[in-house]
Amino acid sequence: MDVRVERTRRALQEALFALARERPLDELTVADITLKAGVNRSSFYQHYADKETLLADALDAAAEQAGASLPRISEPLPGPPQALFDYLHHFDANAEVYRRVLGPHGSAIVMARLRARIEAIVRDGITASGAGVFEGMPLDVVGAGIAGSALGVIQAWLERDPRPPVETAAEWLWRVLLGPGDAWR
């Protein structure tokens, strides 16, 4: 990718991310974002169709920068993997932004992107594990169910006041994902 393109995208992402920490996304304008980023309005539209797509990219970039990736699980584990803790630490560090975008007046684009990422990891993990626990069920249905559960737990955790530590959220998420029968065993 062209260095100038990358620089402009990064400036826009950082500007929106900073503004989204301060106030709701629906109160932000493209003018606010471009002013904070130090670019003109036409530059914004050369890179992004709307501010929600920009926010989704900004959150992806922030997660990557934090080294937070969703874990790929292909075998039974005794507890939550470190990658899950890392990912939840990213959510915790950016809780105010995520509360806004995952909440009732949040971003459909960000939610869809998170859901799609989790669904893909679930499908890959189930395929790699060879576990027959979901045999006879379409993988997209299983992925959608697990992604919805994971996002629900994350959202409920972020909304708690005071918010429990990441370790608690990881345990809750792990228990919800494994279910009462511990599907891996």
Side-chain angles (χ1 to χ4, degrees), residues 129-150:
S129 75
V133 70
F134 297 112
E135 194 170 312
M137 287 184 71
L139 280 180
D140 62 323
V141 171
V142 175
I146 292 173
S149 295

Side-chain angles (χ1 to χ4, degrees), residues 1-9 47:
M1 181 181 294
D2 182 322
V3 175
R4 291 171 297 169
V5 169
E6 183 60 33
R7 190 175 332 133
T8 301
R9 286 186 177 189
H47 300 282

